[in-house]
Amino acid sequence: MRFCVVGAGFSGAILARHLSDKGHSVLLIDERTHVAGNCHTERDDKTGVMLHSYGPHIFHTADDRAWAYVQRFGTFRPYVNRVKAISQKKLYTLPVNLLTINQFFGKTLSPAEARAFIASKADSSITHPKNFEEQALSMIGSELYEAFFYGYTKKQWGLDPTELPASILKRLPVRFNYDDNYFNHPYQGIPEDGYTAIVENILRSDSIELRLGVKFESLTETFDHVFYTGPIDRFFQFRLGRLGYRTLDFERIDVDGDYQGAAVINYCDGDTPFTRISEHKYFAPWESSQFKASVAFREYSRLAGEGDIPYYPIRLVNEKKTLESYIALARETPNVSFLGRLGTYRYLDMDVTITEALNACDEIDQKLKEEAVIPTFFVDPT
Ligand code: FAD
Ligand code: UDP
């Protein structure tokens, strides 16, 4: 059979490799001039530092299958994401942990004392938090919320935290010990040669034809089936409206020596216009000392307009309604499947993206064996 896979990020690459391993002919296209989608990394011409071109990417997972899969295609070096945060001109560590609590309140509390102290600050009248703000107030109380979350979240999402779902905050732990690892997952790392090398290795297969710099809209060939990992609203020429995304602007800072001495510093105050600064050599601690110069990026978030790169799906009530209309349209469209973060309009970490793509491969095999129709969606995007 002849398949087209649109998008050479993790979703598209995994699918293309699997279909070619099964003996099918695959055309993989991407409108960008590189593979790896938003996970793309490249060596900076000026400093030699490995840049995460579309923002910092740390691989973290609890999923054995995803972890085993990526390691087939390259070496992952141990990396622990330790984020610093500036609030009201003072520096702290995130996620909120015992050091954050003790420094912020000027105390020397033990774990048990800190737990009781934060419980006394938390708003216990909120039993079922309905939004981001209520979630924060019920977990950590108003002082920590205002210092670390209120301003940052308004900048990141362009909305008041009362308008955002509680689930966004649930991504972050609160700890009553000195563990400042940003993630709770057992596996965490960054590929030694960058993510693009991993995806290039996934794509090392003779029966994949890779065409870069090619938009799906410009193709004239026909295929037995298309796997589309681009934005679902774009596939239908935005005919039911646009799904809202936040986009990011990066402002480059070049310095001799070090800029900030850490990979990521968040700027939590609302009156600082950017959300965070990333200094990319620190994402590769095994080689960071060899660079004389350094490069960092200020990150600004804004509503994505036409032509901007879609980064974070907003997914509020209006967007969800529009998404449902596109899902209905997609289900009536034969021989196309939608997957990945843009195809299903969901915020997906890399590990979830990989797991979903591998599950899709299993399902496709089964359907082809039964000579049945390949599903339009492999997960429910609502
Ligand atoms: P993408 O990587 O977006 O790939 C889709 C590809 O399709 C793109 O290359 C695009 O050019 C192409 N395309 C789209 N439409 C068309 C078309 N019509 N024609 C041709 N080509 C098209 N995850 C983590 O696990 N850890 C992190 O630390 C992390 N940090 C992140 C930081 C930021 C700022 C962002 C935005 C995301 C982060 N992620 C992180 C999530 C990660 O980027 C995604 O999980 C991953 O990129 C999803 O892969 P994908 O293949 O579904 O989509
Ligand atoms: N957040 C915040 N202050 C911070 C870090 C995060 O308010 O210093 C909020 C913000 O709303 C963000 C959410 O917590 O969108 C989830 O944080 P995470 O670090 O997971 O964001 P991402 O990696 O998606 O940028």
Side-chain angles (χ1 to χ4, degrees), residues 81-85 92-95 180 182 264-266:
N81 195 26
R82 299 189 198 281
V83 174
K84 307 283 176 274
Y92 302 92
T93 77
L94 282 183
D180 62 351
Y182 204 68
V264 182
I265 301 188
N266 288 359

Side-chain angles (χ1 to χ4, degrees), residues 55-355:
H57 277 72
I58 297 114
F59 197 93
H60 55 98
T61 189
D63 185 314
D64 288 320
R65 191 181 185 201
W67 185 231
Y69 183 85
V70 288
Q71 291 189 95
R72 277 173 52 200
F73 301 101
T75 302
F76 276 68
R77 294 275 201 148
Y79 182 85
V80 179
N81 195 26
R82 299 189 198 281
V83 174
K84 307 283 176 274
I86 292 178
S87 173
Q88 299 294 311
K89 299 201 166 75
K90 290 201 176 128
L91 192 126
Y92 302 92
T93 77
L94 282 183
V96 171
N97 64 73
L98 198 45
L99 188 60
T100 329
I101 296 166
N102 276 331
Q103 285 185 334
F104 184 79
F105 291 104
K107 294 189 178 289
T108 52
L109 301 172
S110 69
E113 287 166 345
R115 198 180 283 278
F117 179 71
I118 294 301
S120 76
K121 298 269 176 198
D123 185 341
S124 56
S125 70
I126 305 170
T127 48
H128 298 289
K130 287 190 297 297
N131 56 52
F132 185 109
E133 179 163 298
E134 288 189 2
Q135 177 70 34
L137 294 176
S138 70
M139 260 165 70
I140 51 173
S142 61
E143 288 134 298
L144 289 172
Y145 164 60
E146 276 156 27
F148 296 108
F149 297 102
Y150 178 74
Y152 187 103
T153 296
K154 265 186 101 162
K155 290 189 286 188
Q156 173 74 2
W157 295 99
L159 291 163
D160 193 87
T162 51
E163 297 174 79
L164 291 164
S167 57
I168 297 180
L169 186 62
K170 285 190 201 151
R171 288 166 61 86
L172 302 184
V174 175
R175 300 206 187 97
F176 297 103
N177 58 30
Y178 289 99
D179 179 0
D180 62 351
N181 183 349
Y182 204 68
F183 303 117
N184 272 334
H185 286 150
Y187 309 121
Q188 194 172 161
I190 291 190
E192 190 171 62
D193 297 322
Y195 293 98
T196 299
I198 299 281
V199 174
E200 282 167 355
N201 289 339
I202 293 174
L203 294 176
R204 261 178 233 292
S205 165
D206 289 342
S207 50
I208 300 173
E209 183 195 345
L210 175 65
R211 287 189 214 155
L212 294 174
V214 174
K215 288 185 196 312
F216 177 63
E217 293 79 355
S218 69
L219 286 186
T220 50
E221 298 142 84
T222 55
F223 301 90
D224 293 303
H225 198 91
V226 173
F227 296 96
Y228 187 85
T229 76
I232 184 168
D233 52 350
R234 176 172 164 186
F235 181 89
F236 294 107
Q237 295 88 43
F238 307 104
R239 76 177 79 146
L240 304 174
R242 279 178 186 269
L243 291 168
Y245 279 94
R246 300 294 289 175
T247 193
L248 299 174
D249 296 318
F250 294 98
E251 187 182 10
R252 182 176 169 127
I253 309 162
D254 279 288
V255 287
D256 284 331
D258 265 18
Y259 179 68
Q260 61 183 18
V264 182
I265 301 188
N266 288 359
Y267 285 76
C268 299
D269 298 323
D271 52 8
T272 310
F274 45 90
T275 51
R276 57 184 178 179
I277 300 182
S278 306
E279 187 169 359
H280 287 216
K281 71 177 181 183
Y282 284 105
F283 292 117
W286 56 91
E287 62 177 28
S288 57
S289 62
Q290 81 190 43
F291 302 110
K292 285 200 197 75
S294 191
V295 54
F297 293 88
R298 288 192 193 95
E299 200 170 312
Y300 298 81
S301 169
R302 63 177 167 84
L303 191 66
E306 249 176 78
D308 288 324
I309 297 175
Y311 278 92
Y312 294 94
I314 299 173
R315 283 180 77 93
L316 291 185
V317 179
N318 274 349
E319 282 86 6
K320 280 203 176 160
K321 252 201 224 143
T322 311
L323 173 65
E324 276 166 23
S325 315
Y326 277 118
I327 292 171
L329 197 55
R331 291 199 196 280
E332 290 163 11
T333 309
N335 305 325
V336 185
S337 304
F338 295 85
L339 76 162
R341 65 177 197 99
L342 300 167
T344 62
Y345 188 58
R346 288 174 308 144
Y347 184 90
L348 300 181
D349 276 325
M350 288 180 276
D351 62 328
V352 182
T353 305
I354 290 164
T355 303

